[in-house]
Amino acid sequence: MDNRMKDYLPPMDTEKLNALFEIENAFKAGKLSAAEAQQQIKERVGKVSAYHVAYIEQTMTEESSDECIREDVHSVIDMLGDAIDNSLPNLPVDHPIMHYLKENEEMKRLLLAVEDLVQYPMIKNQWLELYEKISQYPLHYKRKQNQLYPVLEQKGFTRPTTTMWTFDDMVRDEIREAERLLREDNEDAFIKQQERVLLYARDLMQKEEFILYPTSLALISAEEFEDMKSGDQEIGFAFFEVEHTAAEVKPQAAPAAHNDFANDLQALLAKYGYADKGNNILDVATGKLTLEQVNLIYKHLPIDISFVDENELVCFYSDTDHRIFPRSKNVIGREVMNCHPRKSAHIVREVIDKLRSGEQDKAEFWINKPGLFIYIIYVAVRDKEGNFRGVLEMMQDCTHIRALEGSQTLLTWSNGDAPAAAEAPTQVETEQTEAAETQAVTEITPQTRLKDLLAQYPTLKSRLPELDSKFKMLNTPLGRLMIGKVDIQAMSDRTGMPLEQLIEGIKKLIR
């Protein structure tokens, strides 16, 4: 089994690791009681760190897809007793691990509220308000899967990706199922579902705090955690907003002689047609572009693309403002099979294998929900000799495209404004339809619908991020889907922005 973890951990005594492994197996088999196991650990092993448990799991135990769900963390804690040291060092408040812990603390508080509410006759509005907050928590898992797990993979600790990810998704799905039952007024099933939400969410948090986070701190350097912050910020946080300022790196002044040489060399290269890196002309297949121009093109593509090479490593993704699914730079260099939950891994495997073999040249998928249509296509990339060089993935929000009818041959801007002289035959009909679906806003209250505000004040959508950066998501496909469903109260709940502050802020923006 892969034992790269050892290269990144403090020195470990192999004999003691083997002894701990034997004791753990005997305890799980019922051959030792918790007290007997603790005594043997004290005599044969001594103090145990969380990363010892993680290393044994990674290198000495057979992997199964449901092991993280099956593993009883309480019994492991009982077995180790006071021999375990999984304490965390004093971390700055903006450390990525501190954000995970802060989210867990808030989730635990919400789960206590669930326990309290189930004791009383059901009042739907109370539960809707509570689940409006709980439904934010899966962002916690999304950040783990796209940020923390890839770095741990690089250190040889792949179990979080291969087993904990399955548990992450399971808890997320339990929360979604509870929401569905609540909105469909299936009260009995909803109340019963709370048992599963409480059990699995708490169990997963305990596994995170007992093993995952202490082990992460042992494996990942301070510089790598610092580098993780920008990606964390991009994906977002549950329950709170985080302002990230990149760590200041003070450049060292180069010796004067070195600067003179560098300037002379740059001038010499320019004289013979070799510009600096930023302006270097690249001879692409059908034109000539600078590297800056290439990056700007990718940045402004109206679609999302990503590329996986022939070794099945993620090499590139386009960083667009309208990105449909979250990604971070930690995905670069990651095995593509580790970028997907285990339940869908077999589909990914089949797509890659058939594109590689030449049996297929493309694979299409789409997500079709009310008010949302996402088109996804995977295309085999081959060189001129026909050799497989990788897979290109393209995703596009086609909701607007599917809604188009007739012909549009006159100029219409992306915000819907047309030139004064232009005649758009369907515009009157469109405005009449929108007017019928929206209501005039005379006073902004907690129940004021966002779509009514945007219909009356079209520029508000682009200005809302001035109040809270979370409103940027209104420009994403899923965000646009939410516009028709939320009111001011829900906007306050989702961002954590005080209701009165939000109302006053909106009033200032529309004046």
Side-chain angles (χ1 to χ4, degrees), residues 107-118:
M107 185 61 173
K108 290 172 187 175
R109 187 187 70 78
L110 294 172
L111 294 180
L112 287 174
V114 168
E115 281 187 320
D116 182 54
L117 274 184
V118 293

Side-chain angles (χ1 to χ4, degrees), residues 190-373:
F190 170 75
I191 294 299
K192 186 170 180 58
Q193 177 68 10
Q194 301 318 298
E195 298 176 15
R196 296 175 65 85
V197 172
L198 289 166
L199 174 64
Y200 292 128
R202 284 173 169 164
D203 188 40
L204 183 50
M205 283 189 283
Q206 190 163 23
K207 284 167 178 162
E208 289 176 354
E209 295 171 13
F210 184 68
I211 299 293
L212 180 65
Y213 300 149
T215 303
S216 297
L217 287 167
L219 287 168
I220 301 173
S221 69
E223 292 76 17
E224 288 169 319
F225 273 120
E226 185 66 35
D227 193 47
M228 205 181 289
K229 289 180 181 178
S230 59
D232 283 358
Q233 181 77 23
E234 191 167 347
I235 292 172
F237 303 85
F239 314 128
F240 53 83
E241 190 78 17
V242 173
E243 292 297 331
H244 169 58
T245 303
E248 182 180 356
V249 179
K250 296 182 179 179
Q252 294 181 344
H258 176 77
N259 284 337
D260 290 341
F261 173 76
N263 291 334
D264 291 343
L265 178 60
Q266 186 173 349
L268 182 64
L269 290 172
K271 178 180 178 181
Y272 289 98
Y274 295 95
D276 62 76
K277 184 177 179 182
N279 294 320
N280 192 22
I281 300 296
L282 304 175
D283 190 6
V284 297
T286 53
K288 295 182 183 296
L289 297 168
T290 65
L291 180 60
E292 180 189 24
Q293 289 171 329
V294 170
N295 283 321
L296 284 171
I297 289 170
Y298 284 134
K299 180 75 175 176
H300 291 82
L301 279 177
I303 59 174
D304 293 355
I305 63 173
S306 58
F307 177 66
V308 175
D309 70 9
E310 64 267 35
N311 299 313
E312 300 182 13
L313 300 178
V314 180
C315 295
F316 170 82
Y317 66 88
S318 58
D319 184 20
T320 59
D321 291 335
H322 55 76
R323 192 182 311 150
I324 295 169
F325 298 117
R327 289 211 172 93
S328 72
K329 60 186 177 182
N330 280 337
V331 76
I332 302 301
R334 194 179 188 190
E335 291 184 23
V336 70
M337 294 302 296
N338 289 338
C339 298
H340 300 268
R342 184 174 285 246
K343 65 182 181 181
S344 61
H346 68 287
I347 299 174
V348 179
R349 179 78 273 151
E350 182 179 2
V351 168
I352 293 175
D353 288 347
K354 290 193 174 182
L355 294 181
R356 181 188 292 276
S357 69
E359 182 179 345
Q360 300 290 339
D361 288 320
K362 66 179 182 180
E364 295 177 294
F365 301 88
W366 52 89
I367 301 170
N368 193 0
K369 295 181 178 180
L372 181 68
F373 187 86

Side-chain angles (χ1 to χ4, degrees), residues 91-224:
L91 300 172
V93 293
D94 65 340
H95 194 284
I97 295 298
M98 291 298 288
H99 294 146
Y100 288 119
L101 293 171
K102 185 178 176 182
E103 286 169 325
N104 278 1
E105 287 307 308
E106 177 61 15
M107 185 61 173
K108 290 172 187 175
R109 187 187 70 78
L110 294 172
L111 294 180
L112 287 174
V114 168
E115 281 187 320
D116 182 54
L117 274 184
V118 293
Q119 301 177 63
Y120 301 100
M122 182 164 177
I123 300 176
K124 184 174 180 179
N125 283 344
Q126 288 181 319
W127 281 106
L128 285 171
E129 182 180 349
L130 181 55
Y131 262 87
E132 186 77 24
K133 296 173 183 176
I134 290 174
S135 64
Q136 298 175 41
Y137 187 64
L139 264 178
H140 173 94
Y141 302 136
K142 194 166 289 186
R143 223 169 53 255
K144 277 201 308 176
Q145 294 162 1
N146 289 279
Q147 288 284 100
L148 189 61
Y149 293 174
V151 182
L152 293 175
E153 287 169 23
Q154 296 167 16
K155 313 290 184 175
F157 189 27
T158 60
R159 274 308 218 271
T161 296
T162 55
T163 66
M164 185 172 272
W165 190 330
T166 301
F167 202 3
D168 293 341
D169 284 355
M170 179 178 172
V171 178
R172 177 204 64 194
D173 292 343
E174 297 293 351
I175 292 171
R176 288 179 178 175
E177 175 64 8
E179 282 189 288
R180 183 188 68 80
L181 294 168
L182 175 61
R183 296 189 183 280
E184 293 179 359
D185 294 320
N186 193 339
E187 293 187 8
D188 291 341
F190 170 75
I191 294 299
K192 186 170 180 58
Q193 177 68 10
Q194 301 318 298
E195 298 176 15
R196 296 175 65 85
V197 172
L198 289 166
L199 174 64
Y200 292 128
R202 284 173 169 164
D203 188 40
L204 183 50
M205 283 189 283
Q206 190 163 23
K207 284 167 178 162
E208 289 176 354
E209 295 171 13
F210 184 68
I211 299 293
L212 180 65
Y213 300 149
T215 303
S216 297
L217 287 167
L219 287 168
I220 301 173
S221 69
E223 292 76 17
E224 288 169 319

